Structures are given as C-alpha cells and as structure tokens.
C-alpha cells in the first residue's frame, strides 16, 4: 500500500495531524495505546545442542497456549460475528497444520531457536499467498502474520493486555481481528494501523462494530506515544495528536452532527420508500453474509438485490458443498422473508476468487462468472440444487453473472431446468416458479437485451463491470480510474437500452452496481425508470432520504 501519511500541521508544537485512509466512519476521543512492535531480528537465532529438547518443549507449550487462546476467542466470536469466527477458524487451521509443526521441529533440531523456526516456516508458507495473482488470496497472506504473532507471543509468554483498552484508541503496525474484537470488548474506541486494506478483515470488523478506523499511516507507531491524547476522524482519515481546545470543540461539534444525522436517518428505517409524488422505489441491499443481512433488515431493506455467494468460497477457502450452501441459503432466505433474496451464482475468476481456475493472461476477459460455471458444471449443479432445495419459503431468486451471449443464457437455463427436474424426480420439494434473472454487466448483454429479456424474469444492472467493460478500463487499476466512469454517456446509454428492453417485455429491472448508491446518480436512475435499487447496507438510509426528496414527474422528463 502507498504511504498516505502526511504531516499536515507543524506550526503549533502541541498539535500534530496525520492523514491516512479512512476505513470505518466515526469520530472518537481517547488515549493512544501503541502496540508493541518486535521485528524478527529481535529474536536470537541459534541454540546449543543441549538446549534442543527444552526448545522443542517450549514450542509445544506455545502451540497449546496459542490454540487454546484462539479457541476461546472463536467461542466469543461465534456469538458476536459469524464472519469473524470463520476467519478465526482459518487461523486455527493454519496454526494446527501438522506438516508445518514437523518442519518447525526439524529446524529446531538443526540448532535454531523456536522463534526463528516459527518465523522461517511461516514465511515460507506465506510466500505462496504473497505471490498469488488473485488480490483476495494475496491479502490472506496477512493471516500467516497474525498466526505467527500469536505463536511468538506464546513463546515469549507475552500477551497483549486487552484490559487496558477502555477509552483508548489502538495504534499499531497492523491489528488482528482477534485482538480488535478483544479490545472492543474492553471498551476500545477505534484503531489506526500502518498497513492493511479497506477489504482487510480488521476493516470489515471495524465497520460492523461501528468503530472508527484509519489505515495506511506508515510509521505512526513511532510518532505517537502511549497515553497521548488523540482524536480519530474516520470520516476523513485524520488523526490528531495533542488536540488544542479549539480542535477539541470543533470535533465535539462534528461528532454531535454525525450522531444527530445517524439518529435522524435511523428514523427513516420504517418509512415507506417513495418519491415526493408517490412513485414507489424498491430499496434492497447487496450482502455477502448473514451479518450484513441483519444490518440491512435493521435499516429497512425490502429484500436482498444481490447476495455475492463468492464470499462463502472465500470464507471456507473451497467451493462449498451442496449441504453447506443449503444451510446458508435457508438461513438467509428465512431472515429476509417475506422479502426476496437474490442469490447470484458464483462469480469467480478475474479479481474474484480464482482457485481451481486456469492461469489466464487476461482473466477479466476470460473464464469468469457463467463462463466458468458452464465449464465446471459439477460446481454449477451443486449450487443450482442448493438454491432450489433452500427455496421452500418461495422468496429466493437466482441470478446469473457475466452473461454475454444468447446461447450462453439458453444453455444455462436448460441446465438449470434439467437440474431442477432431477430434484422433482427425487421428490425434493422446491419452488417450481423460482425467478431466474441475469446481471447486465457486459456491453454485449445490454446491446442484445431485447433478445435476452423474453428468456428471463429480471435484469439487474451491474455498473461496476458494465463500466469496466464498456470503457475498457480495469475497475481496480488506479492509472485508468478517470476513464473508469460509470457516468460516461456510453455506460448510461447501455443502461437505458437494458431498461427499455425490460419494460418492453414486462420484466423487473434493478441496479446493484456501486453507482446505485452514488449521491449524484439517484435522480438519473429513477428518471431512467429503475424501480429496484440495491446498495450496501450502510448506504440504505442516505439513499432513502434522497429518494424521499425526488419528484418523479420532474426527473422522468429528463430523459
Ligand atoms: C457489478 O459488476 O456491478 C456487480 C454488482 O457485481 P460485482 O461488483 O460483484 O462484480
Ligand atoms: Mg460484476
């Protein structure tokens, strides 16, 4: 990650400001706790031959301690956050890998300290992840660091005292979700790290705990001392050290405004979502977990417009079995009931999960989404069966990603029907009229939308990919981010074509790309005739507030 830190003000010796990347919103005041930083070089490397048995013993004891501690935290996490408990289970799997234990023991027997053997072995394993093409897998390499840290702490008999966290803001090189959870329980108010990503587990957890967080503040643990009075502004990514009275008053006011805004938005959760002149808009949420679904329901979502099922693969690091999927879908559909749950077929490949896929020079234009599923019909079939078996409450819809030809859609629909008929023959009850729709996210699908519409029950516009493929600009590439513009007329025209086709054939059309939550897009989308908008849960209430102020008769004349 690029260093985003910058020294904003140095004229007043008392107050310092640093700017990083905001990753979870909110403002908090507290005392800094700077986490202890110990590099690999702080450990001795060699031991004498007679110390080897003792060293092996030390390693075994640290292993037992670390696994017991982790199991204890998993028990806590299971009550608090399913997402995090899955992550911690992954840590436990890494920790308990017997092949790694053997390698560590072998290295100790060669005369190395347990610390050195642990660091060495974990580094070797981590390489496989660090070198992966897929950014999601690359980011998982940090799991190895977290597990290494736990083992090293155990070897040194050193644990972080989470009890001192009350009223504090934690600053560290990075933070594990485990420690973050324990700090949170002890009353910690926010965190700041030198590294990490917006999609890192700690960031995800901070957002779900509504705890302000800033990442990417390089060397910050050397610039701030324990007990320093600080303010964290998770809206703009600013950290203030030794705030003056004026700054403090400014932020007290800013926090109050943010709290008031949250409160007044909260009142909108149960408000009907219509424009000023009574045109109804179906507000739904994009989710990837049961946790997200609870938040969406709390904010008054009228169903789920996009369930990214890739999350289940990422959390488990393998394609989930039919049974695993059935349980997950059933629970999600039960919670969303009576509102719809739109399950999207695995959209793997490209920047998503890529395990088991062939290496490709140009993966965004390669075997992704439905293209992959039609090559791996075993995986596709498992998912189709699970979706149908979970559909007894009749609120599930099934959506296909990356459709770009009529043939592809016809083959997919035939395969879905064939799999459904098998269930019928097996006497397994399911929703026989389960709606099947497609994402409109390739320019081809928009251009031939009038031929696709008669074949499906609904369209959902995925502006993230529609923009990427229309503008020929990688959605993750910062060098072409100015060209990657969902407001470009080329993208809007394609959206308009899809909307017209949907209207012509009387099928539902919604939008679930990021554009749906963009404040400048609401009038445009409603004016174009979109009636179903799906956004990530934290955006729901702001979006509803905007919709309530729109006059449909005025905006619809724009087009
Ligand atoms: C999209 O492409 O707009 C979309 C919603 O799908 P994803 O972001 O998962 O590719
Ligand atoms: Mg997409």
């Amino acid at each position: 990650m690029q260093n985003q830190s910058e020294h904003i003000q140095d004229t007043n010796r008392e107050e310092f400001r640093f700017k990083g990347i905001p990753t979870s919103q909110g403002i908090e005041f507290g005392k800094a706790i700077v986490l202890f930083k110990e590099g690999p070089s702080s450990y001795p490397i060699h031991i004498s031959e007679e110390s080897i048995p003792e060293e092996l013993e030390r390693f075994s004891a640290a292993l037992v301690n670390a696994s017991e501690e982790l199991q204890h935290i998993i028990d806590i996490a299971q009550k608090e956050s399913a997402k995090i408990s899955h992550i911690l289970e992954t840590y436990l799997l890494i920790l308990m890998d017997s092949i790694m234990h053997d390698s560590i023991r072998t290295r100790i027997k060669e005369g190395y300290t347990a610390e050195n053997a642990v660091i060495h072995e974990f580094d070797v394993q981590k390489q496989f992840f660090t070198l992966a093409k897929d950014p999601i897998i690359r980011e998982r390499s940090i799991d190895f660091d977290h597990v290494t840290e736990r083992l090293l702490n155990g070897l040194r008999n050193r644990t972080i005292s989470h009890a001192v966290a009350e009223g504090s803001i934690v600053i560290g090189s990075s933070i594990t979700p485990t420690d973050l959870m324990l700090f949170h329980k002890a009353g910690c108010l926010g965190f700041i790290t030198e590294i990490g990503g917006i999609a890192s587990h700690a960031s995800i957890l901070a957002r779900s705990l509504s705890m302000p967080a800033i990442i990417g503040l390089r060397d910050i643990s050397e610039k701030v001392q324990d007990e320093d009075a600080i303010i964290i502004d998770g809206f703009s990514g600013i950290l203030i050290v030794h705030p003056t009275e004026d700054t403090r008053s400014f932020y007290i006011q800013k926090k109050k405004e943010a709290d008031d805004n949250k409160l007044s938005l909260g009142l909108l959760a149960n408000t009907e979502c219509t424009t000023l002149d009574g045109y109804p808009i179906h507000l739904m949420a994009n989710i990837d977990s049961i946790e997200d679904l609870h938040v969406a329901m709390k904010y008054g979502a009228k169903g789920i417009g996009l369930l990214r099922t890739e999350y289940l693969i990422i959390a488990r690091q393998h394609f989930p079995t039919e049974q695993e999927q059935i349980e997950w879908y059933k629970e999600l559909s039960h919670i969303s009931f009576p509102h719809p749950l739109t399950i999207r077929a695995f959209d793997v490949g490209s920047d998503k999960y890529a395990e088991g896929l062939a290496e490709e020079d140009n993966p965004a234009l390669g075997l992704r989404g439905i293209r992959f599923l039609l090559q791996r019909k075993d995986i596709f079939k498992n998912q189709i069966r699970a979706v149908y078996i979970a559909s007894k409450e009749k609120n599930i819809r099934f959506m296909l990603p990356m459709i770009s030809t009529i043939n592809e859609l016809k083959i997919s629909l035939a395969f879905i029907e064939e799999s459904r008929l098998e269930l019928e023959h097996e006497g397994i009850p399911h929703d026989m009229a389960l709606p099947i729709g497609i994402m409109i996210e390739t320019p081809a699908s928009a251009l031939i939308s009038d031929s696709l519409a008669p074949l499906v029950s609904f369209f959902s516009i995925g502006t993230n990919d529609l923009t990427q493929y229309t503008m020929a600009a990688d959605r993750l590439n910062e060098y072409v981010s100015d060209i990657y513009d969902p407001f470009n007329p080329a993208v809007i025209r394609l959206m308009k074509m899809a909307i017209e086709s949907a209207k012509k054939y009387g099928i539902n059309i919604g939008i679930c790309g990021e554009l749906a939550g963009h404040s400048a897009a609401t009038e445009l989308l409603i004016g174009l005739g979109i009636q179903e908008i799906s956004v990530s849960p934290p955006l729901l209430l702001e979006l509803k507030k905007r919709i309530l102020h729109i006059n449909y008769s005025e905006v619809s004349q724009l087009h």
Side-chain angles (χ1 to χ4, degrees):
M1 172 174 300
Q2 291 246 313
N3 184 8
Q4 302 280 323
S5 72
E6 107 196 20
H7 199 176
I8 294 178
Q9 181 196 333
D10 198 3
T11 46
N12 179 346
R13 280 176 57 85
E14 293 283 291
E15 179 177 302
F16 290 90
R17 294 183 177 212
F18 301 92
K19 176 141 175 46
I21 302 166
T23 188
S24 177
Q25 295 189 339
I27 291 169
E28 288 296 351
F29 306 75
K31 289 239 184 299
I33 290 189
V34 183
L35 296 182
F36 183 60
K37 198 166 158 183
E38 195 166 37
S41 56
S42 344
Y43 298 104
I45 299 176
H46 296 289
I47 44 167
S48 61
E49 197 163 341
E50 44 298 355
S51 310
I52 290 175
E54 194 189 316
E55 202 66 3
L56 288 168
E57 200 42 52
R58 220 160 61 80
F59 168 65
S60 299
L63 200 57
V64 171
N65 282 348
S67 63
E68 282 177 0
E69 186 190 30
L70 211 44
Q71 190 55 59
H72 170 65
I73 302 164
I74 290 171
D75 293 344
I76 299 176
Q78 266 159 357
K79 290 176 208 121
E80 299 252 336
S81 157
K83 202 179 233 176
I84 298 304
S85 72
H86 280 317
I87 296 164
L88 299 176
E89 277 159 14
T90 313
Y91 288 7
L92 197 55
L93 278 179
I94 297 174
L95 183 69
M96 297 318 285
D97 185 323
S98 61
I99 297 174
M100 282 224 276
H101 300 168
D102 290 347
S103 307
I104 291 170
R105 289 200 173 95
T106 306
R107 195 167 167 89
I108 295 175
K109 286 178 195 157
E110 285 164 1
Y112 290 93
T113 59
E115 283 89 348
N116 176 276
V118 165
I119 292 168
H120 175 83
E121 182 55 24
F122 276 81
D123 264 359
V124 170
Q125 297 300 330
K126 195 178 129 181
Q127 290 297 315
F128 294 113
F129 285 76
T130 319
L131 298 175
K133 260 184 155 184
D134 183 336
I136 294 174
I137 297 182
R138 269 205 309 277
E139 206 168 297
R140 295 281 51 81
S141 68
I142 203 149
D143 293 348
F144 283 82
D145 290 339
H146 291 159
V147 178
T148 315
E149 209 175 295
R150 294 219 97 72
L151 260 177
L152 292 177
N153 284 342
L155 285 168
R156 283 281 161 111
N157 265 337
R158 179 171 55 71
T159 49
I160 300 171
S161 172
H162 301 100
V164 295
E166 175 137 30
S168 65
I169 292 161
V170 172
I171 297 180
S173 160
S174 71
I175 188 165
T176 66
T178 328
D179 284 328
L180 181 56
M181 176 108 67
L182 295 175
F183 277 128
H184 172 70
K185 274 193 148 322
C188 164
L189 302 171
F191 79 84
I192 295 147
T193 58
E194 299 180 355
I195 54 173
I198 290 179
S200 75
H201 296 317
S203 297
I204 294 168
L205 181 58
R207 289 193 288 273
S208 75
L209 297 172
S210 297
M211 193 187 213
I214 303 175
I215 57 171
L217 265 170
R218 197 164 292 175
D219 296 332
I220 196 65
S221 31
E222 272 138 44
K223 293 173 181 156
V224 181
Q225 311 286 321
D226 260 339
E227 296 285 307
D228 276 351
I230 56 178
I231 300 176
I232 175 172
D233 176 353
F235 292 102
S236 53
I238 291 179
L239 162 68
I240 300 146
V241 186
H242 302 314
T244 62
E245 267 320 303
D246 282 354
T247 304
R248 195 168 270 283
S249 318
F250 172 81
Y251 274 97
I252 288 173
Q253 182 58 25
K254 194 168 169 188
K255 181 172 161 65
K256 188 177 173 312
E257 281 164 19
D259 289 348
D260 288 350
N261 186 38
K262 219 163 143 186
L263 216 69
S264 72
L265 280 179
L267 299 174
L268 290 182
N270 296 320
T271 307
E272 233 11 69
C273 187
T274 60
T275 60
L276 263 183
D277 46 349
Y279 183 78
I281 300 293
H282 211 85
L283 214 50
M284 303 171 96
N286 297 347
I287 61 162
D288 56 26
S289 69
I290 291 175
E291 238 172 40
D292 288 349
L293 176 56
H294 283 298
V295 179
M297 294 290 124
K298 191 174 97 191
Y299 292 158
K302 292 283 184 259
I304 300 308
L306 169 63
L307 169 67
R308 286 185 168 101
T309 53
E310 304 80 65
Y311 177 72
L312 201 57
I313 314 174
I314 293 164
R316 288 165 198 252
Q317 293 294 306
H318 64 81
F319 280 97
T321 61
E322 185 182 308
Q323 195 52 37
E324 283 172 326
Q325 292 183 63
I326 293 170
E327 281 162 27
W328 199 49
Y329 301 152
K330 266 191 183 163
E331 188 171 355
L332 288 160
S333 95
H334 186 69
I335 302 170
S336 339
F337 189 82
H339 304 302
L341 166 71
T342 312
I343 300 177
R344 183 175 70 186
F346 296 132
D347 181 18
V348 294
S350 189
D351 60 308
K352 307 264 181 80
Y353 186 83
E355 196 163 288
L357 271 77
E359 279 266 319
E360 295 172 287
D361 284 341
N362 215 340
L365 302 181
L367 267 189
R368 186 187 157 183
I370 198 69
R371 304 168 183 188
F372 168 78
L373 293 171
L374 290 178
Q375 294 233 340
R376 287 296 306 268
K377 289 208 173 129
D378 52 330
I379 292 174
F380 196 17
K381 187 173 211 157
N382 266 351
Q383 188 167 34
I384 296 166
R385 288 177 62 90
V387 165
Y388 273 107
I389 295 172
S391 70
K392 275 188 272 170
E393 306 214 38
K394 301 201 169 165
N395 64 332
I396 291 183
R397 314 194 289 194
F398 193 39
M399 178 157 77
L400 307 176
M402 288 291 293
I403 291 287
S404 50
T405 73
I406 297 167
N407 205 27
E408 201 170 45
L409 177 58
K410 284 189 174 161
I411 295 172
S412 306
L413 291 174
F415 186 66
I416 293 171
E417 180 57 8
E418 185 188 308
S419 312
R420 190 197 68 74
L421 278 171
E422 277 178 23
L423 287 175
E424 206 172 303
H425 291 139
E426 289 166 34
I428 299 176
H430 58 274
D431 179 4
M432 288 168 62
L434 188 141
I436 297 168
I438 58 169
M439 299 276 300
I440 297 288
E441 56 184 346
T442 63
S445 64
L447 289 163
I448 57 166
S449 55
D450 56 342
S451 303
L452 300 173
L455 304 175
V456 293
S457 302
F458 64 93
F459 282 166
S460 182
I461 303 176
T463 50
N464 306 342
D465 281 311
L466 188 60
T467 306
Q468 149 162 283
Y469 294 122
T470 306
M471 304 310 297
D474 184 342
R475 59 195 273 186
L476 298 177
N477 185 339
E478 65 199 76
Y479 298 114
V480 289
S481 58
D482 54 333
I483 303 168
Y484 180 90
D485 175 15
F487 288 96
N488 187 287
V491 182
I492 306 292
R493 263 191 220 177
L494 289 171
M495 285 173 48
K496 209 169 164 202
M497 286 178 86
I499 294 167
E500 277 161 9
S501 302
K503 302 261 168 203
K504 184 168 159 199
Y505 288 94
I507 65 166
N508 236 321
I509 178 144
I511 176 166
C512 63
E514 293 304 302
L515 183 70
H518 198 298
S519 58
T522 316
E523 288 195 355
L524 173 75
L525 296 174
I526 291 177
L528 282 172
I530 294 273
Q531 274 196 287
E532 201 175 280
I533 307 186
S534 192
V535 294
S536 93
L539 302 179
L540 280 164
L541 295 176
E542 289 280 0
L543 174 58
K544 192 188 268 187
K545 189 172 165 187
R546 286 196 297 277
I547 293 171
L548 294 175
H549 288 95
I550 287 177
N551 210 323
Y552 176 68
S553 56
E554 277 171 22
V555 295
S556 60
Q557 282 163 22
L558 291 174
H559 314 287

